[in-house]
């Protein structure tokens, strides 16, 4: 049950009945949301504001007419017009009690929506070069992408989680040569890793495996034969290492797409360029020098260019390098055309901060290859600074010069890593303080939310001890007399729970999973605040041995809190412990 969606429909219908000429476009911009100041009411709508100009009327005139129409609504105790034309509603108790009954009736499905209507969406995230273990720079994007995918699935989309393996660039040649050094080391040679190669110990097992498979026979074979062979072996090993790292955070992809499958005669890039030419999207031309500092990859020559500016990009983009090989962007176009041909009209790419310049060109590519039928959202994850007690923190580095994903998880655990990396907008830089996420205080969001769940569980355990004859089965709690919940603290908590379905919908539409983490913290704060009031006022305690019916109603309320916390933490991939040490 979504109180806000219910009132969007009621306000829309009432506006339409009062002003039949109002358009669907106006109704689509109508919102009902919590007022910024709770003192102004339970709900607030901008209906009069968005309808005023199209209707040619004063917004307060429209707001007054709407307010008058709602005076007979049994779920509304009062309605007021505020400011330039906002409409503020106060709701009657029964509709809030209906929210609690809905939570108990729907359980794990409370808040789940069908806004996606089963539409397919491809969420591509991580997509790190397969040259070593996952490092801390990848971790934020991995958690963000996985949480976003879970949120979209919870909202009714058919989600595919995809990893694009960048296994066709020069870095793979470097990886193979680095591995050959480890192979020689496995054969007993003393090696020195020169600058430019990968120094991490994670390649030692690959060198050992090559020795076990080939003995010393690779030493006498030509590079043209050895390098491709080593590439295959080391890429397979690195991909398994990456999958193992991601599994430490309970992250699993549905598709691993190899960039190498796009390259080669007659492969996807060739066919994509042929298609682009046939559609008039490619031409031979010369790019003007960029303003300011000239990039290293700019070439003053006639070349094959994609008409990116026709699709919203700043400049047209080269597709073929001077040596005849394809640019990285040519592969990008082919890859996203492949996604479209696989049936994805909704694509979300999660990229690191160093890829912010790719947003406009990727959107242009998707628009072009789909003739505007597909949409693309690129989410940029900004950098994470590792801190401890407010100071930069350097962990032990077991993999060359990298702090790995495994290091972070080992230090603070899966729950803290996932929650804290979600507890901030993806496009804002963040500090990850190892000391903070271990504190058992309100300043540690993951502890504060998990403690709320554990505290609910302890309340139920205490109820069994203090009132052993009280029936606290789910059936009894569903049938509790919610009308006994009449205190302002109880009303505040119920209103917080009622916002969960709206939070899910808004977070999914905006592709912003941090809204879920923020919301859970707010629910935890409302619950802990109610618990603290009970310490001061015996009449507000959850367990009252003299009033079993009131106790049952309050247990039903805290049980609803537990369910919402479980549902939200599930989206974040964070556990809901019944006890905290």
């Amino acid at each position: 049950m979504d109180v806000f969606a219910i009132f969007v429909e009621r306000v829309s219908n009432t506006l339409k009945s009062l002003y039949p000429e109002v358009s669907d476009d106006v109704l689509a911009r109508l919102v009902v949301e919590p007022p910024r100041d709770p003192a102004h009411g339970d709900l607030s709508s901008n209906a009069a504001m968005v309808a005023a100009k199209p209707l040619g009327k004063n917004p307060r005139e429209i707001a007054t007419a709407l307010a008058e129409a709602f005076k007979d609504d049994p779920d509304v105790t009062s309605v007021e017009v505020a400011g330039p034309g906002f409409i503020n509603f106060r709701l009657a108790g029964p509709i809030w009690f209906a929210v609690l009954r809905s939570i108990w009736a729907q359980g794990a499905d409370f808040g789940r929506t069908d806004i996606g209507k089963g539409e397919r969406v491809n969420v591509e995230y991580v997509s790190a070069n397969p040259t070593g273990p996952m490092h801390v720079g990848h971790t934020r994007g991995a958690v963000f992408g996985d949480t976003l995918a879970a949120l979209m699935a919870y909202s009714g989309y058919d989600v595919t989680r995809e990893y694009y393996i960048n296994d066709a660039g020069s870095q793979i040649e470097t990886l193979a040569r680095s591995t050959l050094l480890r192979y020689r080391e496995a054969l007993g040679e003393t090696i020195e890793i020169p600058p430019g190669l990968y120094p991490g110990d994670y390649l030692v097992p690959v060198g050992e495996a090559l020795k076990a498979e080939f003995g010393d026979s690779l030493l006498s074979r030509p590079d043209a034969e050895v390098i491709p062979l080593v590439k295959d072996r080391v890429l397979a090993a690195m991909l398994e290492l990456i999958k193992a790292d991601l599994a430490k955070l309970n992250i699993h992809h549905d598709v691993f797409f190899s960039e190498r499958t796009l390259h080669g005669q007659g492969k996807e890039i060739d066919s994509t360029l042929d298609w682009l030419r046939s559609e008039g999207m490619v031409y031979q031309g010369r790019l003007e020098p960029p303003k300011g500092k000239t990039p290293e990859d700019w070439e003053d020559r006639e070349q094959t260019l994609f008409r990116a500016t026709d699709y919203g990009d700043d400049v047209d983009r080269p597709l073929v390098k001077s040596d005849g090989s394809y640019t990285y962007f040519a592969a990008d176009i082919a890859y996203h055309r492949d996604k479209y041909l696989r049936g994805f009209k909704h694509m979300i790419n999660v990229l690191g901060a160093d890829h912010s310049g790719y947003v406009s060109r990727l959107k242009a590519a998707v628009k072009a290859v789909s003739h505007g039928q597909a949409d693309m959202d690129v989410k940029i994850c900004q950098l994470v600074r590792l801190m401890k007690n407010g100071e930069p923190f350097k962990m032990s580095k077991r993999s060359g010069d990298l702090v790995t994903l495994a290091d972070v998880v080992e230090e603070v655990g899966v729950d803290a890593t996932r929650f804290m990396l979600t507890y901030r907008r993806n496009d804002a830089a963040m500090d990850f303080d190892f000391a903070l996420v271990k504190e058992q205080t309100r300043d540690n969001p993951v502890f504060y939310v998990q403690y709320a769940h554990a505290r609910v569980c302890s309340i139920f355990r205490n109820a069994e001890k203090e009132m052993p004859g009280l029936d606290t089965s789910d059936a009894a709690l569903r049938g509790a007399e919610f009308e006994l919940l009449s205190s302002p603290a109880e009303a505040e908590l119920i209103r917080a729970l009622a916002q969960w379905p709206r939070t899910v919908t808004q977070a999914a539409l905006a592709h912003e999973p941090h809204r879920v983490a923020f919301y859970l913290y707010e629910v935890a704060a409302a619950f802990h605040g109610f618990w603290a009031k009970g310490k001061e006022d015996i009449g507000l305690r959850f367990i009252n041995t003299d009033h079993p019916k009131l106790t049952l109603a309050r247990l039903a309320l805290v049980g609803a809190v537990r369910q919402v916390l479980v549902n939200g933490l599930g989206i974040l991939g964070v556990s809901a412990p019944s006890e905290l040490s």
Side-chain angles (χ1 to χ4, degrees), residues 381-399:
C381 287
Q382 289 296 334
L383 300 175
V384 179
R385 288 198 310 166
L386 301 180
M387 311 290 286
K388 193 166 188 177
N389 294 317
E391 298 293 331
F393 179 50
K394 292 187 177 181
M395 300 173 63
S396 61
K397 301 175 182 179
R398 298 192 299 270
S399 305

Side-chain angles (χ1 to χ4, degrees), residues 124 164 166 259 262-263 269 272 319 326-339 347 349 351 355 358 361-362 365-366 369 376:
E124 181 205 326
Y164 181 63
N166 298 115
E259 182 189 353
L262 301 173
H263 293 263
I269 300 181
T272 296
L319 299 180
Y326 291 119
T327 64
Y328 192 82
F329 183 56
D332 276 340
I333 298 176
Y335 173 47
H336 288 88
R337 181 169 180 256
D338 180 88
K339 284 185 185 180
M347 306 177 202
N349 282 17
L351 302 177
H355 287 82
Y358 284 73
R361 71 186 71 175
L362 286 176
V366 170
V369 300
M376 154 74 76

Side-chain angles (χ1 to χ4, degrees), residues 92-114:
I95 197 166
W96 297 121
F97 304 144
V99 170
L100 293 181
R101 292 190 177 92
S102 178
I103 295 172
W104 277 100
Q106 294 181 266
D109 289 331
F110 178 71
R112 192 182 295 275
T113 73
D114 192 32

Side-chain angles (χ1 to χ4, degrees), residues 123-184:
V123 184
E124 181 205 326
Y125 57 107
V126 188
S127 298
N129 290 339
T131 55
M134 304 297 297
H135 61 71
V136 68
H138 301 130
T139 308
R140 188 178 191 185
V143 170
F144 174 85
D146 198 57
T147 305
L148 177 57
L151 173 64
M152 301 295 283
Y154 194 79
S155 302
Y157 292 90
D158 180 3
V159 178
T160 294
R161 295 163 167 85
E162 186 150 325
Y163 186 120
Y164 181 63
I165 310 169
N166 298 115
D167 54 3
S170 60
Q171 78 277 2
I172 304 304
E173 178 87 12
T174 302
L175 179 67
R177 296 194 178 281
S178 303
T179 305
L180 277 175
L181 281 179
R182 294 299 186 178
Y183 166 67
R184 300 176 78 96

